[in-house]
Amino acid sequence: MNKLAKIGLIFISCALMSSAAFAKPRHPDVESLSKNSREIFTISMTWGDQYWDAQTKLIRAPGFPNPASPEPALQPHFLVRESSWYALGLLLRDKPGDRDRAAEILRIVLKEQYNEPGKPWDGTFRRTPEEPEPGSDAVMWRSYDPNWREFIGTTFSIILNEYPDRIPADEAHDMVAAINHAVEGEIKQGRLLPSYTNIALMYGYLWNYAAARGNRPDWVAPSVQWQESVYKLFKQYDAFSEYNSPTYAGVDLYALALWRDYGSTPRMRTIGSEMEVSLWNAIADLYNANLRNISGPYDRAYGMDMQSYVSVVGLWLRTVLDEDHAPLPKLDPPVDHVDDLWFAPQIAVLDTEIPPGAMKSFHSLQGEHSVHRQITDQRIATAWIGKTVIYGGEITGKTKNVDAHSQFHPVTLQWQTPSGKIGWIQLTECPPIDASAERKAIVISAAGDISFRISAPGTASSDVTQNQWTLPGLTVRVATDSKDFTVQQHGHFVDLKYASISKMTLIIDRPGD
């Protein structure tokens, strides 16, 4: 680090340790929320109240039975992280009994933090009280989730910022200690990189918060350095490395709102707001209000139709759009990926700040257009946003592939079928790939086998041949040097495999687009 940078860090450190440097909390209550925010918050809390378990003091996972179920062979499953989110919601709602219930939850969540110095999972939290203790053969993600440090730690910080008078003083003290412990564990594990966007952003806030609130002045300079590293990486192309995820871009927005609302210095609040505005603009550029969906390509995605599962970006947009226009499913059981619905209290507290230009795109399609955005030195996201069809492709420089368990989707297509439902096509397996979306086609380059999944009401395997996919409201002509082709029906899905390709062009014909 050069001398000027060191002087800057010393200045920032002094500013952070001054209590006057902190942004003021807003202390929102239900009545202060906007109509749309209040609606999605209320729905989230209704689900929380329904799945609250008085015995364990935690949220029961949807899909798992009530402990009082007459089927004792089915074991209940309880959620630690989501329970902390619900606790925040209880403190915001603040009805009779809510403070006591929140205090009970928080006591349990605090007990679920690992206190095992020297172990990689030290300072994180169990995902469920039933989770086995990690052993000598523990595998990250399978045996424990280190990201619970950031998810739960930031939730604790919001409670401490906004509602410290609504929890017992001893709990507040223990929550500060738990945040310090989480940060300490993260530092010692040393597994994070600034390119792991959603966690890197939450960590940049939480580490900085712990430096001041946890009375760790030695953490001030390194936490600021981390923030600047994340920002510098972003500024290379005004894009995050973890690009375009309907779920994790929503977590990015959450973390950036923490920077924007609670940043310890004007610098932190300014760059947080700058990145937040840029991210909203990028999401808006890929959004089709007619389809209520964000076009791919997706670095990480849990679904292909935002009207069919709960995404965190969908929750953010529900705070500014009514039920009939937000990219969310009907929130009546069963709901896919419904656990993320309990993220709504965080969003309600932080409030949604979308730049006016982006907001226009969320209200209505602002015209057909192409998207070409550099992500990293090697990766470029491309997309076509039509009236009733959207599709995307990612040029990876042949650095990224897709396997059966991948969340990376470099080729995607969604359209509105004659029934009004969303049909979609997703590349499900391929070797290292380059894919580019153009006005009427997606051009693919990859050496090996490549597989797709098609989902559209009424589609059968007989509708799909090697050279043409005849789908409800959409035709795709295929030009490829594939050596072999197979198609199989799996319930509502049609799965295709092209063997030994080097090139492929999907020519897309959507009447009216």
Side-chain angles (χ1 to χ4, degrees):
M1 184 183 296
N2 62 39
K3 184 176 181 181
L4 186 61
K6 286 181 179 178
I7 293 171
L9 281 178
I10 292 170
F11 175 80
I12 291 170
S13 300
C14 293
L16 189 150
M17 298 314 292
S18 167
S19 61
F22 285 91
K24 293 181 179 179
R26 298 186 307 111
H27 306 308
D29 57 31
V30 174
E31 292 306 312
S32 72
L33 303 178
S34 69
K35 173 182 176 294
N36 290 317
S37 289
R38 187 163 55 248
E39 287 174 355
I40 192 61
F41 171 76
T42 300
I43 292 169
S44 169
M45 295 305 293
T46 298
W47 276 77
D49 295 342
Q50 178 184 348
Y51 283 91
W52 157 254
D53 179 71
Q55 184 174 352
T56 62
K57 316 299 183 188
L58 295 173
I59 291 289
R60 190 175 74 255
F64 285 79
N66 190 305
S69 168
E71 302 178 72
L74 297 174
Q75 294 299 313
H77 183 79
F78 303 98
L79 303 174
V80 172
R81 178 187 63 167
E82 290 77 3
S83 296
S84 74
W85 299 345
Y86 174 57
L88 171 60
L90 289 166
L91 295 172
L92 190 163
R93 187 173 67 182
D94 204 30
K95 287 185 176 180
D98 282 350
R99 294 188 186 188
D100 290 340
R101 181 176 290 189
E104 291 177 330
I105 292 170
L106 294 171
R107 273 193 287 272
I108 296 299
V109 173
L110 285 162
K111 289 178 181 177
E112 297 303 333
Q113 186 174 35
Y114 288 109
N115 184 12
E116 299 188 42
K119 301 294 186 183
W121 52 88
D122 184 43
T124 194
F125 297 76
R126 291 176 181 84
R127 290 165 285 194
T128 172
E130 302 146 317
E131 192 161 46
E133 190 74 12
S136 58
D137 58 348
V139 177
M140 188 164 61
W141 313 123
R142 198 175 302 163
S143 306
Y144 65 95
D145 195 323
N147 294 345
W148 265 225
R149 296 179 180 120
E150 285 74 22
F151 279 110
I152 295 175
T154 55
T155 303
F156 282 176
S157 79
I158 295 174
I159 292 171
L160 293 167
N161 284 335
E162 299 290 354
Y163 307 115
D165 59 330
R166 298 182 185 180
I167 58 173
D170 62 327
E171 267 193 2
H173 175 271
D174 291 344
M175 288 162 68
V176 172
I179 290 172
N180 276 18
H181 189 184
V183 170
E184 187 90 55
E186 196 66 81
I187 293 170
K188 290 182 177 178
Q189 187 178 9
R191 52 105 194 187
L192 271 184
L193 295 172
S195 57
Y196 189 3
T197 305
N198 76 101
I199 305 303
L201 287 168
M202 286 193 286
Y203 181 50
Y205 160 75
L206 192 66
W207 193 359
N208 197 248
Y209 178 89
R213 183 65 188 263
N215 193 28
R216 289 295 304 263
D218 55 313
W219 284 351
V220 173
S223 70
V224 171
Q225 284 182 282
W226 180 268
Q227 292 169 3
E228 295 294 336
S229 296
V230 172
Y231 179 65
K232 181 180 179 181
L233 182 62
F234 169 80
K235 287 303 292 180
Q236 285 183 338
Y237 298 105
D238 280 342
F240 289 118
S241 299
E242 190 179 68
Y243 182 77
N244 193 34
S245 166
T247 290
Y248 293 103
V251 180
D252 297 343
L253 291 167
Y254 162 68
L256 291 169
L258 293 171
W259 290 41
R260 172 246 292 166
D261 275 9
Y262 305 133
S264 60
T265 64
R267 166 71 176 174
M268 183 180 174
R269 297 193 290 274
T270 297
I271 62 176
S273 292
E274 178 190 338
M275 290 187 284
E276 182 184 26
V277 166
S278 183
L279 179 55
W280 273 122
N281 286 332
I283 294 170
D285 203 24
L286 288 163
Y287 190 73
N288 184 310
N290 296 338
L291 302 181
R292 291 159 60 187
N293 266 284
I294 299 168
S295 174
Y298 307 123
D299 259 23
R300 302 179 69 184
Y302 290 107
M304 283 291 292
D305 176 17
M306 295 174 71
Q307 297 183 57
S308 298
Y309 74 103
V310 177
S311 69
V312 183
V313 171
L315 291 177
W316 279 102
L317 288 174
R318 179 63 178 89
T319 67
V320 295
L321 299 171
D322 63 32
E323 181 182 10
D324 293 334
H325 296 91
L328 280 176
K330 296 294 183 183
L331 295 171
D332 300 318
V335 180
D336 191 21
H337 223 258
V338 73
D339 295 7
D340 281 349
L341 181 59
W342 286 309
F343 206 76
Q346 272 90 326
I347 295 171
V349 169
L350 294 168
D351 205 11
T352 308
E353 295 188 7
I354 300 177
M359 196 65 234
K360 292 180 181 178
S361 295
F362 297 128
H363 280 301
S364 63
L365 182 66
Q366 299 299 296
E368 296 181 306
H369 62 277
S370 62
V371 176
H372 186 279
R373 178 177 283 269
Q374 193 88 27
I375 306 170
T376 68
D377 290 346
Q378 294 176 305
R379 295 167 52 216
I380 300 170
T382 66
W384 174 255
I385 313 301
K387 293 177 184 176
T388 57
V389 62
I390 52 178
Y391 45 90
E394 185 167 318
I395 299 165
T396 75
K398 301 286 181 69
T399 61
K400 297 190 73 171
N401 67 308
V402 179
D403 62 34
H405 306 291
S406 181
Q407 294 178 343
F408 174 52
H409 305 307
V411 176
T412 63
L413 189 152
Q414 293 108 320
W415 78 101
Q416 190 172 56
T417 67
S419 70
K421 298 289 187 181
I422 299 298
W424 54 261
I425 300 169
Q426 177 192 84
L427 187 150
T428 54
E429 290 191 67
C430 69
I433 188 173
D434 283 333
S436 179
E438 303 174 355
R439 171 65 181 84
K440 281 286 188 180
I442 303 173
V443 179
I444 297 169
S445 173
D449 298 347
I450 189 167
S451 298
F452 297 90
R453 169 161 283 184
I454 299 173
S455 174
T459 300
S461 58
S462 58
D463 299 321
V464 177
T465 67
Q466 181 170 354
N467 298 317
Q468 183 164 301
W469 310 341
T470 305
L471 309 173
L474 183 81
T475 299
V476 179
R477 289 179 285 121
V478 183
T480 181
D481 59 358
S482 173
K483 302 298 188 292
D484 192 23
F485 170 78
T486 57
V487 56
Q488 291 183 319
Q489 186 99 30
H490 292 105
H492 298 297
F493 302 125
V494 176
D495 292 332
L496 327 176
K497 183 174 182 179
Y498 290 83
S500 303
I501 78 155
S502 65
K503 57 186 178 180
M504 172 181 284
T505 301
L506 306 179
I507 303 163
I508 298 156
D509 181 14
R510 168 68 174 171
D513 271 280

